[in-house]
């Protein structure tokens, strides 16, 4: 979802070596997600709270730190949406108004829990995928393939890999499977679900990023707040269909709201785990969203740093590593507990 | 009904109300957020239809906006009944920067300026010749989302500014609409003008190994006056060549045609030929240009291959009456090929030697294929002097000799 709005692959790479970065970042994405998918697969049919029965204080601290990175990612998500909406669509509406609109809608979506959110997302994500396909098809007459060339420009090997890792950490969605893997239909395999989602992600990335570069060029696109919106604005379809770029917002906006809702639900799961108690959806999510709103005002002066895409990607990388550590910690705790039970040392 | 049931029912009602409230808020937010007018009522916006940018000798910017007058619309009658035509007002703003000049216009009018429906941007040649001013223009366009990148971009002689808003506008009543309409028609039917959107100008001005171009507008005296007493009309022939974001000079209609052929932009164009043997008009279509740029002993070797189809629209032979159709076909093809070759050579040499600008983007082509060699040999030099036009091959074939029976010839 983040790839759709801000196109980190264009911005972090400054528009160079795009084709290489698409595949390299995908490779890193699979590598980074592998431990999480393994963990999710091993804990099928159990909620995250049930998997974390015997965790130590260090894991709780790690969970708390992960919660902070999660809150920060919601803050960035929300801020970027607001920044774009305010600059391009609704310049007359105050920032708090849009924030409230986004967060109320996110709260309304996540209030009913992950099941409802998943069912609603089936509708909105399909609309989004359809709009992406539509824009890609309609842009064909205007595409200039030469703008993708040269495929490989002189670049530092380490720098290229660093870019790919940062793009992968921003794009990863495997976290959902870690926390809500237990909610997936028993007949479905986690691995297969992940492979399907990765394939859809790759196809979407190709038909979002490449046409954008082919129309806007690799120098101009990284400068834009929302390159995909500007790309959609250029589609004319032989002068017969103009100004339907708003479809990209209509399709994307509900998905962004749902993504914020999902992140809030993950936050709720973590709070439940830390306090070892199942709390009410509404209260925790509301508190979580309020914290974000307060933090928005508190960190107003640091916004330029906080909204820097590279900074965000680095924080997300830390968050991802923390989650891998948490999963590893839970796995060790579980193994230890099993050994204790087997050798009868649990009570001694 | 006992108290607990009433309580449960009221709780359920409360949930339903809350659900409806949340749905209502979401719909309401969506409705007021997704307007193309930025939350301003349409009757309170001043829609810009065309914009002219100028820079005087003192470094002050002057902006002229053609704003659509919406006050006499919506009287309930159809356009035909009310004989309604959209009028416009021209507002001028001055300032040390473009933003300041536009703000001064905004201050003069009682409505919110709205630039997303702008059709045309026209820049005077004296502003375009100032590199810093053009960089400011590009910067201004990128930073302001309200000024979208779709309007056509033209360069005009600064002495013609006064005449521009008094020209013949065909069946339209607004300059912006008129130019937009003409461009859309001429793009399909003629290659003698170059029509560039602001976006393409911005992209080309940032591109390595490519210089940007813009359209050319010149005001010419009309043969006769129209019913509104308008004596001038707009000519779109030619193009405006830039180098490093600085306007260099105008090129002619033939150069524009050559530019369109070389960049594969040509859809259809008519070529006229007249010599001692024949007089012919042919429609040039299906043009396919392949440009190969290679490094050769430190120079940039360029090979150009052009193929296309000719449809004869008019043909008159003066001397030979017994010429076979096959021979005639070959002769016409050769003559047109020679004509196109001369035109292209002239444009290439003019762009390289006189204008000193790489408007075709040979450097970009070189960099696309071999970035390492480009960076090593040409990136830090003015590679125009290193360009060698090795071969220009034109292959035009006649698709038909017209609707008449060719055995007649």
């Amino acid at each position: 979802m983040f790839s759709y709005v801000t196109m980190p692959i264009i911005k972090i790479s400054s528009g160079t070596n795009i084709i290489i970065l698409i595949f390299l970042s995908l490779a890193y994405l699979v590598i980074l997600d592998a431990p999480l998918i393994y963990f999710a697969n091993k804990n099928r049919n159990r909620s995250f709270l049930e998997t974390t029965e015997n965790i130590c204080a260090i894991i709780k601290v790690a969970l708390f730190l992960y919660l902070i990175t999660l809150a920060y990612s919601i803050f960035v998500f929300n801020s970027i949406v607001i920044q774009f909406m305010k600059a391009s669509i609704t310049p007359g509406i105050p920032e708090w108004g849009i924030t409230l609109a986004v967060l109320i809608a996110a709260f309304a979506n996540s209030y009913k829990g992950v099941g409802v959110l998943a069912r609603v997302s089936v509708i909105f994500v399909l609309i989004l995928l359809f709009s992406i396909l539509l824009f890609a098809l309609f842009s064909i007459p205007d595409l200039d393939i030469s703008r993708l060339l040269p495929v490989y420009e002189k670049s530092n090997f380490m720098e290229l890999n660093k870019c790919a890792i940062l793009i992968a950490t921003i794009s990863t969605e495997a976290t959902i499977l870690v926390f809500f893997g237990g909610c997936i239909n028993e007949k479905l395999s986690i691995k297969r679900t992940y492979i399907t989602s990765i394939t859809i992600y790759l196809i979407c990335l190709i038909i979002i990023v490449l046409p954008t570069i082919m129309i806007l060029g690799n120098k101009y696109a990284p400068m834009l707040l929302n390159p995909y919106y500007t790309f959609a604005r250029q589609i004319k379809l032989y002068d017969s269909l103009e100004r339907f770029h708003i479809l990209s917002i209509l399709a994307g906006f509900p998905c962004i709201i749902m993504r914020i809702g999902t992140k809030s639900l993950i936050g709720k799961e973590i709070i439940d785990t830390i306090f070892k108690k199942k709390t009410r959806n509404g209260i925790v999510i509301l508190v979580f969203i309020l914290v974000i709103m307060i933090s928005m005002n508190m960190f107003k002066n640091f916004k330029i740093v906080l909204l820097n895409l590279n900074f965000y990607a680095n924080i997300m990388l830390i968050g991802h590593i923390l989650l891998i550590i948490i999963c590893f910690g839970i796995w060790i705790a579980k193994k230890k507990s099993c050994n204790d039970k087997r050798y009868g040392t649990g009570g001694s | 009904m006992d108290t607990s049931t009433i309580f449960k029912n009221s709780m359920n009602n409360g949930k339903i109300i809350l659900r409806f409230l949340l749905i209502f808020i979401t719909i309401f937010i969506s409705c007021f957020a997704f307007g193309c007018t930025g939350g301003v009522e349409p009757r309170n916006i001043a829609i810009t239809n065309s914009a002219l940018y100028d820079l005087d000798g003192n470094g002050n910017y002057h902006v002229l906006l053609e704003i659509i007058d919406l006050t006499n619309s919506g009287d309930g009658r159809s356009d035909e009944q009310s004989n309604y035509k959209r009028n416009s007002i021209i507002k001028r703003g001055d300032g040390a920067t473009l933003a300041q000049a536009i703000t001064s216009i905004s201050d003069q009018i009682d409505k919110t300026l709205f630039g997303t429906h702008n059709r045309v941007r026209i820049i005077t040649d004296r502003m375009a010749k100032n590199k810093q001013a053009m960089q400011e223009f590009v910067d201004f366009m990128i930073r302001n989302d309200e000024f979208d990148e779709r309007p056509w971009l033209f360069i005009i002689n600064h002495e013609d500014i006064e005449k521009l808003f008094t020209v013949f506008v065909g069946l339209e009543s607004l300059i912006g609409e008129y130019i937009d309409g003409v461009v859309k028609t001429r793009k399909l039917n003629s290659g003698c003008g170059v029509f560039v959107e602001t976006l393409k100008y911005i992209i080309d001005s940032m591109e390595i190994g490519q210089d940007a171009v813009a359209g050319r507008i010149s005001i010419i005296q009309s043969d006769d006056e129209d019913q509104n007493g308008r004596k001038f009309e707009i000519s779109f022939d030619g193009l405006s060549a830039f180098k490093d974001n600085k306007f260099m000079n105008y090129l002619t209609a033939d150069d524009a045609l050559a530019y369109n052929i070389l960049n594969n932009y040509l859809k259809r164009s008519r070529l006229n030929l007249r010599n001692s043997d024949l007089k012919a008009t042919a429609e040039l279509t299906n043009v396919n240009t392949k440009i190969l740029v290679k490094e050769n002993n430190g120079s940039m070797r360029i090979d150009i291959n052009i193929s296309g189809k000719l449809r004869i629209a008019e043909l008159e032979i003066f001397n030979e009456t017994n010429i076979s159709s096959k021979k005639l076909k070959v002769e016409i093809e050769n003559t047109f090929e020679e004509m196109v070759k001369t035109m292209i050579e002239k444009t290439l040499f003019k762009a390289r030697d006189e204008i000193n600008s790489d408007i075709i983007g040979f450097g970009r082509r070189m960099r696309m294929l071999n970035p390492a060699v480009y960076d090593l040999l040409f990136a830090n030099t003015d590679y125009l002097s290193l360009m060698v036009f090795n071969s220009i091959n034109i292959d035009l074939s006649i698709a038909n000799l017209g609707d008449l029976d060719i055995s007649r010839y």
Side-chain angles (χ1 to χ4, degrees):
Chain A
M1 200 56 245
F2 203 86
S3 311
Y4 181 80
V5 186
T6 60
M7 294 205 161
I9 199 155
I10 292 177
K11 293 191 176 179
I12 290 179
S13 65
S14 305
T16 51
N17 303 318
I18 290 286
I19 297 173
I20 295 170
L21 272 173
I22 285 177
F23 291 100
L24 200 59
S25 68
L26 190 82
Y28 278 115
L29 185 65
V30 173
I31 293 166
L32 284 167
D33 284 349
L36 303 183
I37 298 301
Y38 179 79
F39 176 83
N41 200 34
K42 283 281 164 193
N43 295 293
R44 277 302 313 252
N45 308 324
R46 286 202 295 172
S47 71
F48 189 72
L49 188 62
E50 286 165 355
T51 60
T52 54
E53 282 167 346
N54 301 314
I55 52 166
C56 58
I58 298 167
I59 298 297
K60 280 188 181 178
V61 171
L63 271 169
F64 182 72
L65 289 173
Y66 182 70
L67 190 69
I68 293 170
T69 63
L70 201 69
Y72 169 63
S73 79
I74 297 179
F75 162 70
V76 172
F77 239 89
N78 192 35
S79 303
I80 284 174
V81 171
I82 292 162
Q83 205 179 30
F84 165 67
M85 296 288 282
K86 205 164 159 45
S88 312
I89 319 275
T90 58
I93 295 166
E95 207 169 288
W96 62 264
I98 306 169
T99 309
L100 213 61
V102 171
L103 295 183
I104 286 174
F107 171 66
N109 273 312
S110 54
Y111 176 74
K112 280 286 179 183
V114 68
V116 172
L117 203 63
R119 278 185 214 113
V120 173
S121 67
V122 170
I123 302 164
F124 285 116
V125 170
L126 275 178
I127 295 172
L128 182 71
L129 293 178
F130 175 70
S131 81
I132 289 170
L133 195 69
L134 207 67
F135 281 118
L137 287 174
F138 286 174
S139 68
I140 289 172
D142 301 321
L143 297 181
D144 181 359
I145 297 169
S146 71
R147 293 201 203 282
L148 289 172
L149 299 172
V151 173
Y152 180 72
E153 273 187 66
K154 201 170 85 181
S155 172
N156 187 328
F157 179 73
M158 287 301 288
E159 198 63 37
L160 197 69
N161 281 278
K162 195 185 155 196
C163 274
I165 293 171
L166 292 182
I167 292 159
T169 48
I170 288 179
S171 314
T172 180
E173 302 281 354
T175 326
I176 299 171
L177 289 174
V178 173
F179 289 96
F180 305 122
C183 303
I184 292 177
N185 194 325
E186 283 176 23
K187 288 173 190 167
L188 289 171
S189 148
I190 291 239
K191 280 179 198 165
R192 203 174 293 165
T193 309
Y194 179 73
I195 290 166
T196 313
S197 73
I198 278 287
T199 314
I200 294 171
Y201 166 75
L202 178 66
I203 295 166
C204 287
L205 195 66
I206 289 171
I207 63 174
I208 286 175
V209 174
L210 298 189
T212 306
I213 290 287
M214 281 191 258
I215 285 188
L216 301 180
N218 58 3
K219 300 278 181 301
Y220 179 54
M223 293 179 175
L224 298 166
L225 205 57
N226 185 341
Y228 193 69
Y229 177 74
T230 313
F231 152 76
R233 205 153 66 170
Q234 311 308 319
I235 292 165
K236 287 186 277 293
L237 196 69
Y238 305 105
D239 295 332
S240 62
L241 196 60
E242 284 184 55
R243 298 183 192 277
F244 78 118
H245 54 273
I246 207 74
L247 180 69
S248 74
I249 304 294
L250 283 169
F253 195 63
C255 293
I256 294 162
I257 289 169
M258 280 191 303
R259 192 70 189 92
I260 294 174
T262 317
K263 279 180 185 275
S264 309
L265 272 177
I266 294 173
K268 186 233 166 216
E269 287 286 317
I270 294 170
I271 292 170
D272 284 356
T273 312
I274 293 171
F275 294 108
K276 283 194 172 176
K277 194 182 170 187
K278 202 151 178 65
T279 44
R280 284 175 73 97
N281 272 9
I283 296 162
V284 175
I285 294 164
L286 198 63
V287 169
F288 203 75
I289 288 169
L290 279 173
V291 168
I292 306 305
M293 285 181 76
I294 295 162
S295 69
M296 277 192 70
N297 279 321
M298 274 173 65
F299 299 127
K300 226 169 184 175
N301 298 336
F302 306 103
K303 237 178 175 178
I304 295 171
V305 180
L306 292 173
L307 294 183
N308 181 297
L309 210 56
N310 273 303
F311 183 77
Y312 173 73
N314 280 301
I315 296 291
M316 286 302 101
L317 182 62
I318 294 167
H320 198 90
I321 292 165
L322 271 173
L323 193 63
I324 292 171
I325 293 168
I326 291 163
C327 291
F328 187 67
I330 293 168
W331 180 70
I332 288 176
K334 197 178 148 194
K335 210 168 183 185
K336 198 175 167 230
S337 152
C338 286
N339 287 342
D340 288 349
K341 275 179 193 166
R342 196 182 298 163
Y343 299 113
T345 54
S348 60
Chain B
M1 202 182 280
D2 63 344
T3 328
S4 62
T5 319
I6 294 167
F7 181 71
K8 270 183 187 172
N9 283 346
S10 64
M11 279 298 284
N12 281 338
N13 288 341
K15 273 185 183 175
I16 292 165
I17 290 166
L18 178 70
R19 202 176 291 168
F20 272 108
L21 193 71
L22 290 172
I23 293 169
F24 174 76
I25 291 169
T26 314
I27 292 171
F28 175 74
I29 298 297
S30 307
C31 286
F32 88 89
F34 297 128
C36 65
T37 55
V40 182
E41 283 283 321
R43 64 189 161 86
N44 289 330
I45 56 171
I47 300 171
T48 309
N49 196 243
S50 60
L52 188 139
Y53 307 88
D54 186 24
L55 178 79
D56 67 16
N58 300 323
N60 287 319
Y61 288 96
H62 309 289
V63 176
L64 272 87
L65 296 184
E66 184 191 29
I67 298 164
I68 302 173
D69 178 13
L70 296 172
T71 50
N72 65 348
S73 63
D75 59 357
R77 290 180 292 168
S78 69
D79 289 0
E80 230 171 69
Q81 281 173 331
S82 61
N83 199 17
Y84 163 67
K85 268 205 161 188
R86 279 185 294 178
N87 294 322
S88 64
I89 53 164
I90 311 293
K91 288 305 290 178
R92 181 190 161 120
D94 307 318
T97 61
L98 281 169
Q100 206 179 335
I102 288 170
T103 309
S104 76
I105 297 176
S106 183
D107 291 344
Q108 292 170 47
I109 51 175
D110 55 336
K111 296 181 193 297
T112 309
L113 264 184
F114 184 65
T116 317
H117 284 181
N118 188 12
R119 303 285 184 185
V120 184
R121 286 198 178 96
I122 303 165
I123 299 174
T124 60
D125 52 1
R126 66 180 170 191
M127 175 173 156
K129 274 178 185 161
N130 188 319
K131 191 177 174 179
Q132 202 189 332
M134 284 311 288
Q135 274 167 349
E136 270 182 49
F137 171 78
V138 170
D139 187 70
F140 183 63
M141 290 298 133
I142 295 170
R143 281 177 202 278
N144 290 278
D145 288 285
E146 296 143 53
F147 296 93
D148 88 50
E149 58 296 291
R150 285 165 294 181
W152 304 108
L153 188 73
F154 289 96
I155 306 296
I156 192 172
N157 189 328
H158 66 278
E159 286 164 6
D160 289 340
I161 300 174
E162 298 300 322
K163 295 176 201 161
L164 179 68
F165 293 101
T166 62
V167 292
F168 171 70
V169 286
L171 298 171
E172 293 289 344
S173 54
L174 304 165
I175 298 279
E177 292 289 340
Y178 169 69
I179 294 175
D180 186 51
V182 170
V183 168
K184 281 175 181 164
T185 322
R186 283 199 55 169
K187 259 187 110 171
L188 295 173
N189 296 318
S190 166
C192 295
V194 167
F195 307 111
V196 172
E197 287 182 349
T198 315
L199 175 75
K200 180 156 171 39
Y201 175 82
I202 293 172
I203 293 172
D204 285 351
S205 66
M206 289 174 179
E207 201 69 63
I208 301 167
Q210 164 103 48
D211 287 310
V213 297
R216 176 188 181 180
I217 274 184
S218 37
I219 310 293
I220 51 170
Q221 182 92 37
S222 181
D223 293 338
D224 29 49
E225 281 183 23
D226 74 349
Q227 55 187 14
N228 297 324
R230 297 179 190 221
K231 288 180 284 184
F232 300 104
E233 56 187 58
I234 300 175
S235 164
F236 296 91
D237 289 350
L239 72 102
S240 312
F242 282 74
K243 180 171 176 69
D244 296 334
N245 227 350
K246 183 187 171 187
F247 172 63
M248 301 304 282
N249 211 343
Y250 294 115
L251 292 176
T252 62
D254 280 354
D255 297 323
L257 182 59
Y259 172 86
N260 285 325
I261 290 172
L262 287 166
N263 282 300
N264 279 322
Y265 295 149
L266 190 78
K267 300 260 189 275
R268 195 189 309 148
S269 188
R270 286 208 162 156
L271 302 175
N272 298 313
L273 178 72
R274 192 191 169 107
N275 59 25
S276 56
D277 299 329
L278 56 91
K279 188 174 113 180
T281 300
E283 202 175 74
L284 181 62
T285 55
N286 299 74
V287 173
N288 183 17
T289 305
K290 282 178 184 151
I291 299 175
L292 193 67
V293 187
K294 273 183 181 174
E295 185 274 326
N296 185 30
N297 296 328
S299 65
M300 208 182 265
R301 202 183 80 171
I302 297 158
D303 295 285
I304 300 168
N305 292 304
I306 299 166
S307 64
K309 286 205 161 38
L310 291 169
R311 287 172 191 278
I312 303 296
E314 237 182 283
L315 182 63
E316 202 177 324
I317 303 156
F318 300 131
N319 297 328
E320 291 180 60
T321 46
N322 296 326
I323 188 167
S324 70
S325 62
K326 198 178 173 187
K327 200 178 164 195
L328 176 72
K329 214 174 153 190
V330 173
E331 196 187 318
I332 296 171
E333 279 172 356
N334 290 343
T335 322
F336 272 112
E337 279 171 3
E338 196 53 42
M339 182 184 161
V340 172
K341 189 177 177 179
T342 314
M343 187 172 67
I344 284 173
E345 275 176 347
K346 213 174 129 191
T347 305
L348 289 174
F349 289 122
K350 195 194 274 185
R352 189 188 66 180
D353 304 330
E354 290 174 32
I355 309 281
N356 200 21
S357 165
D358 184 9
I359 52 172
I360 310 297
F362 294 115
R364 187 166 80 93
R365 283 180 166 86
M366 174 89 206
R367 191 171 172 273
M368 264 160 43
L369 298 170
N370 209 336
V373 173
Y374 178 86
D375 289 345
L376 188 72
L377 296 173
F378 307 111
N380 301 318
T381 55
D382 190 7
Y383 62 81
L384 286 161
S385 55
L386 301 171
M387 284 192 328
V388 178
F389 299 112
N390 186 48
S391 67
I392 300 171
N393 301 314
I394 318 279
D395 178 23
L396 301 178
S397 59
I398 291 177
N400 64 48
L401 279 168
D403 291 334
L404 293 171
D405 182 5
I406 58 165
S407 61
R408 179 169 98 92
Y409 298 105

